[in-house]
Amino acid sequence: MTAAPTLPYPLFDADNHLYETEESLTKYLPDQYKNAIQYVQVNGRTKIAVRGVISDYIPNPTFSVVAAPGAMEEYFKNGNPEGKSRREIFGAAIKAPAAFREPGPRLELMDELGVQRTLMFPTLASLVEERMRDDPKLIHVVVHALNEWLLDTWKFNYEDRIFTTPVISLPILDKAIEELDWVVANGAKAILVRPAPVPGFEGPRSFAMPEFDPFWERVVHHDILVAMHSSDSGYARFDAEWEGSNSEMLPFQTNTFRMVNEWRPVQDTVASWVCHGALFRHPKLKIAVIENGSSWLKPLLDILADVYKKAPEGFGMQDPVAAIKKSIHVSPFYEEGVTDLIDLIGVDRVLFGSDYPHPEGLAQPTHFADMLQHLPVEDQAKIMGGNLARLLGL
């Protein structure tokens, strides 16, 4: 590993990941739900089955071997002129080191990488809610089991350097508030909420509807950051209608139609915050949009500005663009740069995120600072960690 460069400010990475072990979703499941999550063998490979249905959403759910960190950097920088497959782009897999699975070794790796603090997101967790959307009770049970494992294995605050984000799902309001209070009591500084409609007994609906106000009031009371990280938001079923199929989202297979619509979930998510009024009713909310890039933001703000001009009463006569700029923080992809994003929302709303150690991220997180050299050092420091530290009250 090449030595990390010394930067004149501390790094607080808004987007790191851990790789779960096989027991992460099962160790704390009550006995009556023990068959909800199973690991099964298919042609010599271990797969995860949710309620008896095998999922390929995460091809290797054991994470025994993984793609190397940053394996796709060249792809995102220069595209894919040779038309390589995802497997070819990923290159040779590596055995997952302890630092991807345990907080102690991860701190040592962070020191080598030059990263002082990080938000730590689970990986396998992204498949849970969508595959249980017709069983809200089960979602809450499995999410709590995962959070118990995260607390047991990683803690929600490990030595004031690793801040693991427990998952909060919202189908049953009382359960969501109970889970929120529990994770905060156990040290959580940020929570992970899926950017998608909330499953329910009578069908899905937006998290920004008034029925969820008691939850968001509690979030504001706790002064905790809401992280909305890229996940399986369920849009594969809409894509499937165009394609005449019923397949689940398969992130590692080329699908140009789904690539065209890749950022529709986050665009709809942020639009919902204002179209359904939650940001107006709870202006003190702090929201970070992670691993969704920023290319979707300007088109959304342009559309919202036009709709507000035509129908201000639909927003309670409050400016949706101003509300987003006040509460929403965005972590851009390295290849996008930051200039346009700063022009849109200001430097105080931009967050550095490396997506380490995922192949889509940066092999060397400090590399993100290379694109900030045109900015004053104080602005670089905000983006590379100061803004996130402020959001978490650190």
Side-chain angles (χ1 to χ4, degrees):
M1 180 185 299
T2 304
T6 300
L7 298 173
Y9 39 73
L11 271 63
F12 195 161
D13 197 334
D15 188 17
N16 262 213
H17 286 268
L18 60 89
Y19 286 129
E20 295 94 324
T21 64
E22 287 188 35
E23 67 177 11
S24 63
L25 295 174
T26 60
K27 181 177 181 179
Y28 292 101
L29 272 182
D31 289 343
Q32 64 266 39
Y33 296 100
K34 65 181 180 179
N35 292 327
I37 303 290
Q38 297 174 304
Y39 287 85
V40 298
Q41 297 297 312
V42 179
N43 297 325
R45 296 175 63 88
T46 302
K47 296 289 184 181
I48 191 169
V50 180
R51 295 185 300 173
V53 178
I54 294 172
S55 172
D56 285 312
Y57 174 68
I58 295 179
N60 179 17
T62 69
F63 303 113
S64 54
V65 294
V66 296
M72 300 181 74
E73 277 193 63
E74 189 68 22
Y75 165 82
F76 287 117
K77 180 181 178 181
N78 296 315
N80 184 19
E82 298 175 357
K84 293 180 180 178
S85 68
R86 284 292 189 269
R87 186 176 296 277
E88 291 173 318
I89 292 170
F90 286 156
I94 64 170
K95 183 178 180 180
F100 294 178
R101 295 180 177 272
E102 303 170 31
R106 186 56 162 262
L107 281 187
E108 296 177 7
L109 178 57
M110 286 167 59
D111 289 339
E112 294 179 31
L113 294 170
V115 175
Q116 281 69 48
R117 295 185 288 193
T118 186
L119 283 185
M120 189 68 67
F121 292 96
T123 298
L124 188 62
S126 61
L127 64 74
V128 170
E129 292 175 80
E130 182 58 24
R131 283 150 192 79
M132 301 177 182
R133 64 181 182 270
D134 61 339
D135 194 340
K137 290 182 179 178
L138 180 61
I139 291 176
H140 283 284
V141 170
V142 175
V143 162
H144 182 67
L146 170 63
N147 287 340
E148 285 198 86
W149 179 85
L150 289 172
L151 178 63
D152 183 32
T153 307
W154 283 84
K155 309 303 180 189
F156 298 144
N157 179 349
Y158 189 80
E159 297 191 9
D160 283 330
R161 293 188 62 191
I162 297 175
F163 299 92
T164 298
T165 57
V167 178
I168 303 290
S169 190
L170 302 174
I172 303 172
L173 184 60
D174 290 345
K175 290 289 187 183
I177 294 173
E178 179 183 339
E179 192 74 12
L180 174 66
D181 289 343
W182 181 80
V183 301
V184 170
N186 282 284
K189 294 288 188 181
I191 57 172
L192 175 57
V193 176
R194 187 174 69 131
V198 179
F201 293 108
E202 297 180 359
R205 70 281 196 212
S206 170
F207 53 80
M209 293 291 190
E211 70 176 274
F212 295 107
D213 281 354
F215 176 81
W216 300 122
E217 289 170 5
R218 197 70 179 159
V219 169
V220 171
H221 168 78
H222 287 307
D223 192 29
I224 194 168
L225 177 67
V226 178
M228 306 199 87
H229 188 285
S230 179
S231 183
D232 184 353
S233 295
Y235 277 54
R237 60 183 178 274
F238 306 127
D239 297 330
E241 290 185 2
W242 286 100
E243 297 174 332
S245 70
N246 60 358
S247 64
E248 66 178 346
M249 176 184 175
L250 300 175
F252 302 133
Q253 289 189 12
T254 299
N255 185 310
T256 53
F257 186 81
R258 296 186 185 190
M259 290 173 72
V260 168
N261 295 309
E262 187 172 11
W263 307 120
R264 188 58 185 264
V266 67
Q267 194 173 54
D268 289 350
T269 292
V270 175
S272 180
W273 276 114
V274 287
C275 291
H276 300 123
L279 282 192
F280 302 128
R281 297 190 301 271
H282 310 285
K284 293 183 179 180
L285 280 169
K286 300 180 298 186
I287 302 160
V289 178
I290 307 295
E291 204 183 315
N292 286 276
S294 60
S295 63
W296 52 272
L297 184 57
K298 186 179 187 303
L300 173 61
L301 295 184
D302 288 344
I303 292 170
L304 286 171
D306 183 62
V307 174
Y308 178 58
K309 180 176 68 175
K310 296 172 180 175
E313 73 282 4
F315 299 100
M317 306 303 289
Q318 299 185 71
D319 185 351
V321 173
I324 287 172
K325 290 182 177 182
K326 180 180 182 296
S327 297
I328 303 289
H329 303 72
V330 177
S331 177
F333 294 135
Y334 173 80
E335 62 272 13
E336 294 174 328
V338 297
T339 302
D340 292 343
L341 182 59
I342 290 173
D343 289 344
L344 277 176
I345 60 176
V347 71
D348 290 340
R349 299 293 181 266
V350 180
L351 305 175
F352 147 61
S354 71
D355 194 27
Y356 190 91
H358 284 176
E360 301 93 336
L362 299 176
Q364 174 51 260
T366 55
H367 185 41
F368 195 96
D370 294 350
M371 69 167 176
L372 307 180
Q373 298 308 305
H374 62 292
L375 299 175
V377 172
E378 56 267 30
D379 286 348
Q380 296 180 40
K382 287 180 178 181
I383 292 171
M384 295 301 290
N387 290 337
L388 183 55
R390 169 178 49 81
L391 288 171
L392 269 60
L394 301 172

